[in-house]
Amino acid sequence: MNVATGWIKKSLPICLLASIQAWADLPSNIQAKLTEAHIEPSAVGVLVEPMDKSVTGYQIHHQIDDVKTPASTQKLVSTIAALDNMGADYRWTTTIYQHGVVVGGVLYGDVVIVASGDPAMTYGQLRNLLSALKEKGVWHITGDIIIDDRVFGNVAFDTGAFDGQSSRAYNASPHAFLVNFGTIEVEITPAIGESRALVQVSPTLADFESPSSIAASSGECNRANEPKLALSKSQLSLHGAISNQCAKNSKWLAFGDSSEFAIKAVKGEWQKLDPTFAGKVRFIDEQFDADKLAEQQAKFPIVRHFSKSLAEQVYDINQFSNNVMTEQVALSLPLFAGATRSDYTQAFAFINDWWQKKIDGKPPKMSRASGLCRDCQISPASMASLLRYAYQSEVFEPLLASLPVVGQTGTMAAFAKRHPDSPAIGRAWLKTGTLNDVASVAGYAKDGADNWYVVVVFVNAQNAGINGHGLSIIDEVIKEIAVFGKSSSPANIQQPSTNVSEKSS
């Protein structure tokens, strides 16, 4: 410290001194973006550094040990833990057993669907599962269809609790037999010149009413004036009209009660195959059905359905930030380790134990696996340690393939619209996170000399996720990494601090 600097530090008020120190480790262009956005530096955590410690690259270490709300970048915790433990090729299995005898295509008895928590049992997959029964010679069931959902316990939550938007697809609740991500798809198909537009709901739901068409008006297609959708447990209502100039489009609505949704979906889809089915679709009664199930499981299942691989499902999770799929994956970890039933307490304990054994730094605080939580917390240093671990392990290839490519795919595709000529396009792989007051990214990038970087940016400030200000800070960091190492380098490059806990390259 020189004499002048020392005099300044001794003379300034403590609050002003703290503010100056908070800015000191940020490059001037990032400082400018914060000023423009009216965001305090204390609201931001940034860690950028080369993977190879021998490389002198672009580096920012700003509040790297201060915990922040990560939003959907927390999905990296759940997906990396799953890839590391279960393996990229892991598949969930849904099995069907029969209890009774089949004579002439008629099953005199029940069938039991044993669920395992498949995150991606779409309505198409459900139809394939039930169609396989007919392929095995079961054309009619005289008894019931029983769903054994016991591998998950007490995992349902109020879908309106987070933000009051209970029918938004991102609020769907997990379930051992999760059908179509807990959502219905409403497809609206207008036709030029027609006064009605077709409406189709998938999956087919029993004991549920929905319109087959909606009024269509002439005139220019205006998405702002689309019909309003209202969903209850017994019906879908559409209010308003749609322009017949609009293209076919789909909306996804969370059903709310995943258990009731599974019952309605299974019954509705089976009745399409077996219109005379008059039995119940219900969940297993442990006291009544335990002996029956044990007898069935002593035999081979008549249908065995395998899910998409974990790597494929992680791709869907990270590219499109699917919340309920992430919950399903995390809840499956204790089952993979041998538990007979899983819940959130077990899932988070599993992740915490794994973290303590494998990752440097303080484990994250989690109340949802997906990051759809305001009380979830992790520091930039801890997130970077997780990413470094993945980079050095066998999970890196499927993880990198799952991450949105800046300016090209998934939730990072819009970067190219904001910065169409940026050299960063195609040179960073980042999981995004957005809540009203959170904008975040975490992942990997390459600089102008093709050096790999770990990148973590957390912005926790009022409206950071909805007014674009948090995004402008993130974009600036991404752009600066991409140009480093070329003929012109970013100004005010910071040297790394020494208080980050990390794994050696």
Side-chain angles (χ1 to χ4, degrees), residues 36-119:
E36 180 183 326
H38 303 290
I39 294 176
E40 292 295 325
S42 59
V44 180
V46 184
L47 190 154
V48 176
E49 62 187 19
M51 284 293 186
D52 186 344
K53 290 183 177 180
S54 67
V55 171
T56 303
Y58 182 58
Q59 302 196 34
I60 307 175
H61 285 182
H62 176 71
Q63 298 196 135
I64 61 175
D65 293 314
D66 291 354
V67 295
K68 294 282 189 282
T69 301
S72 282
T73 59
Q74 184 171 276
K75 289 180 171 68
L76 292 171
V77 177
S78 301
T79 54
I80 292 173
L83 287 169
D84 197 47
N85 287 279
M86 302 165 75
D89 295 329
Y90 179 83
R91 296 175 188 270
W92 285 257
T93 306
T94 303
T95 53
I96 300 181
Y97 296 86
Q98 72 179 57
H99 185 264
V101 295
V102 178
V103 179
V106 177
L107 170 60
Y108 293 90
D110 305 321
V111 298
V112 178
I113 301 173
V114 181
S116 66
D118 184 353

Side-chain angles (χ1 to χ4, degrees), residues 134-381:
K134 297 195 73 171
E135 294 172 6
K136 294 294 184 179
V138 178
W139 289 72
H140 177 65
I141 300 168
T142 63
D144 295 341
I145 299 175
I146 303 168
I147 302 173
D148 183 358
D149 65 334
R150 293 177 296 171
V151 293
F152 287 176
N154 300 318
V155 300
F157 51 75
D158 179 2
T159 56
F162 181 73
D163 59 3
Q165 303 291 328
S166 60
S167 64
R168 295 290 180 90
Y170 60 75
N171 276 322
S173 177
H175 195 274
F177 192 64
L178 183 73
V179 175
N180 207 50
F181 317 112
T183 66
I184 66 168
E185 179 183 356
V186 183
E187 185 180 80
I188 303 176
T189 308
I192 294 176
E194 297 294 328
S195 62
R196 305 290 296 180
L198 298 179
V199 176
Q200 181 175 343
V201 174
S202 298
T204 303
L205 301 178
D207 308 314
F208 184 82
E209 296 181 359
S210 60
S212 59
S213 67
I214 187 174
S217 60
S218 59
E220 185 178 351
C221 180
N222 186 344
R223 294 300 186 193
N225 296 325
E226 286 184 341
K228 302 296 186 293
L229 282 65
L231 178 65
S232 71
K233 293 182 179 180
S234 59
Q235 69 175 20
L236 170 73
S237 302
L238 283 79
H239 306 281
I242 190 169
S243 168
N244 57 24
Q245 307 297 310
C246 291
K248 179 170 67 174
N249 68 99
S250 292
K251 304 291 184 184
W252 286 265
L253 303 176
F255 194 81
D257 187 332
S258 295
S259 293
E260 186 164 352
F261 183 53
I263 287 173
K264 289 179 180 293
V266 170
K267 185 175 181 180
E269 292 292 343
W270 178 250
Q271 284 182 329
K272 288 176 67 176
L273 299 171
D274 176 12
T276 61
F277 175 70
K280 296 179 179 179
V281 176
R282 59 183 176 86
F283 288 100
I284 197 163
D285 181 317
E286 293 192 48
Q287 291 182 337
F288 180 77
D289 295 313
D291 293 339
K292 185 184 295 186
L293 182 62
E295 179 184 337
Q296 294 168 41
Q297 292 181 328
K299 307 171 185 176
F300 290 108
I302 56 174
V303 172
R304 181 181 281 114
H305 172 83
F306 295 100
S307 75
K308 296 194 299 184
S309 71
L310 175 61
E312 294 173 285
Q313 304 217 32
V314 167
Y315 176 90
D316 291 341
I317 287 170
N318 287 334
Q319 284 286 318
F320 310 111
S321 213
N322 191 299
N323 290 328
V324 73
M325 288 182 73
T326 314
E327 307 296 337
Q328 297 282 120
V329 167
L331 288 164
S332 297
L333 285 167
L335 302 176
F336 177 79
T340 57
R341 182 174 294 190
S342 176
D343 57 24
Y344 275 113
T345 299
Q346 292 180 72
F348 295 146
F350 181 99
I351 291 172
N352 186 77
D353 289 345
W354 166 78
W355 185 290
Q356 298 279 14
K357 294 174 183 176
K358 298 287 188 73
I359 315 296
D360 290 341
K362 187 177 180 180
K365 176 186 176 184
M366 302 173 70
S367 60
R368 286 285 179 269
S370 62
L372 191 67
C373 41
R374 296 184 179 89
D375 58 345
C376 295
Q377 294 182 330
I378 188 172
S379 70

